[in-house]
Amino acid sequence: VQSIFNKVEKSKKREWGNPKKVEIDEFAERKEHKNFVTVVSNIDNGKPLEIIEGREGDKLIEVLSEKELEAREGVEEVSVDMWAGFVKVIEATFPNAKIVYDRFHVMQQVNRELNKLRKLMKVTKKGIKFLLLSNGEKLQKEEREKLNKILVEHPCLKIAYEIKEELREIYEKKQTFKGGKRELEKWLRTASLLYQQSAQMIKSHLEGICNYFTNRTTNATAEGINTKIKLIM
């Protein structure tokens, strides 16, 4: 594993090119460990730019600042999750970039809260977690029928599920920044009743979340790269 990082260190001498969209993502080296690896990738070509041990903001700034200023100034969007440390890093190293909060991390947070609601409501039928958290449009006919039957028996859970699906539909629709913001603000008025933590998180990061609607930029490339790195490690 160390040899991988050594090779990446040598890549600091290599030019980045001129990426317009960059993503920054981190993962734990081992499950349940606190040793993180941060991956910086070029969204346009799907290739990693930097692989950095740790995720400390000062270290990320130090490594990224070694890259050509012209290349960093040319980055228009940086896609990240909602870890607060990334804001400082982006402002220090990509001065002209908009922050785009990754839609899948937003949905992940909402799904976590939906699953907590399910547990509080003591809905424990086999397979219900998968059905609740899945994309409703991708469920098979039999799965939808099974889910609907359970939701009819639990009206409050049905409302929570419908609110989650409304958020997914907002993301799926082609939106402008203003249109997406308007839809999300409307969604928040209802969602705040059941999704208090998620609603607060979205309110606090609303502009960066709505930046997604401009170019529909996500961290999907980083997830694929992270998977390959994990397999190597």
Side-chain angles (χ1 to χ4, degrees):
V1 173
Q2 188 59 46
S3 66
I4 296 173
F5 290 108
N6 291 340
K7 290 178 181 178
V8 173
E9 286 295 311
K10 293 179 182 178
S11 75
K12 290 181 181 179
K13 300 177 182 179
R14 172 177 53 81
E15 291 186 358
W16 270 12
N18 297 292
K20 299 298 180 186
K21 294 189 287 185
V22 167
E23 56 195 332
I24 305 176
D25 198 15
E26 85 285 348
F27 63 89
E29 284 190 49
R30 297 179 184 177
K31 191 174 181 180
E32 297 181 359
H33 281 233
K34 294 183 179 180
N35 296 327
F36 286 92
V37 175
T38 300
V39 181
V40 184
S41 306
N42 183 340
I43 294 176
D44 297 319
N45 63 17
K47 294 181 179 180
L49 297 169
E50 294 288 333
I51 303 175
I52 306 165
E53 289 186 274
R55 70 168 183 178
E56 295 79 12
D58 290 342
K59 182 174 183 180
L60 297 183
I61 291 171
E62 178 185 354
V63 173
L64 294 175
S65 294
E66 293 177 355
K67 289 301 177 180
E68 298 84 355
L69 178 60
E70 183 179 355
R72 291 187 283 109
E73 286 180 334
V75 174
E76 298 171 358
E77 293 183 338
V78 180
S79 179
V80 290
D81 62 29
M82 279 151 287
W83 179 58
F86 283 143
V87 175
K88 177 183 175 182
V89 173
I90 294 168
E91 290 175 346
T93 57
F94 300 104
N96 299 320
K98 290 182 179 178
I99 296 175
V100 181
Y101 290 116
D102 181 50
R103 63 172 281 185
F104 297 105
H105 284 89
V106 176
M107 289 302 306
Q108 184 181 57
Q109 168 60 33
V110 172
N111 273 332
R112 285 197 189 108
E113 199 160 2
L114 175 58
N115 195 45
K116 287 181 181 178
L117 289 169
R118 174 190 66 82
K119 292 178 180 178
L120 286 172
M121 297 175 196
K122 302 188 185 304
V123 182
T124 57
K125 291 186 179 180
K126 186 177 180 180
I128 183 59
K129 177 181 175 181
F130 169 80
L131 296 175
L132 274 177
L133 306 188
S134 295
N135 180 336
E137 289 186 350
K138 293 185 177 181
L139 294 177
Q140 300 296 320
K141 181 180 178 181
E142 295 80 7
E143 292 175 325
R144 285 197 299 271
E145 290 175 350
K146 181 179 179 181
L147 175 60
N148 289 336
K149 183 178 179 181
I150 296 172
L151 293 179
V152 167
E153 296 171 357
H154 302 277
C156 190
L157 186 61
K158 182 175 187 292
I159 293 171
Y161 172 77
E162 289 172 348
I163 291 173
K164 184 268 290 189
E165 283 293 291
E166 285 173 7
L167 178 60
R168 183 186 59 76
E169 289 174 8
I170 291 171
Y171 271 121
E172 291 297 326
K173 293 177 184 177
K174 188 174 182 180
Q175 304 273 12
T176 61
F177 175 92
K178 289 183 178 179
K181 186 176 182 181
R182 183 172 57 250
E183 290 293 321
L184 281 174
E185 287 174 337
K186 181 181 176 182
W187 180 85
L188 283 166
R189 287 196 287 271
T190 303
S192 298
L193 299 174
L194 290 174
Y195 291 93
Q196 295 179 357
Q197 292 180 355
S198 298
Q200 185 57 50
M201 178 201 72
I202 292 173
K203 287 179 183 177
S204 301
H205 299 82
L206 189 59
E207 183 167 333
I209 290 172
C210 292
N211 281 337
Y212 162 80
F213 296 109
T214 302
N215 294 307
R216 305 185 76 79
T217 300
T218 72
N219 270 24
T221 299
E223 295 299 329
I225 292 171
N226 291 355
T227 299
K228 292 177 183 177
I229 294 172
K230 289 176 185 177
L231 287 171
I232 292 171
M233 294 174 70

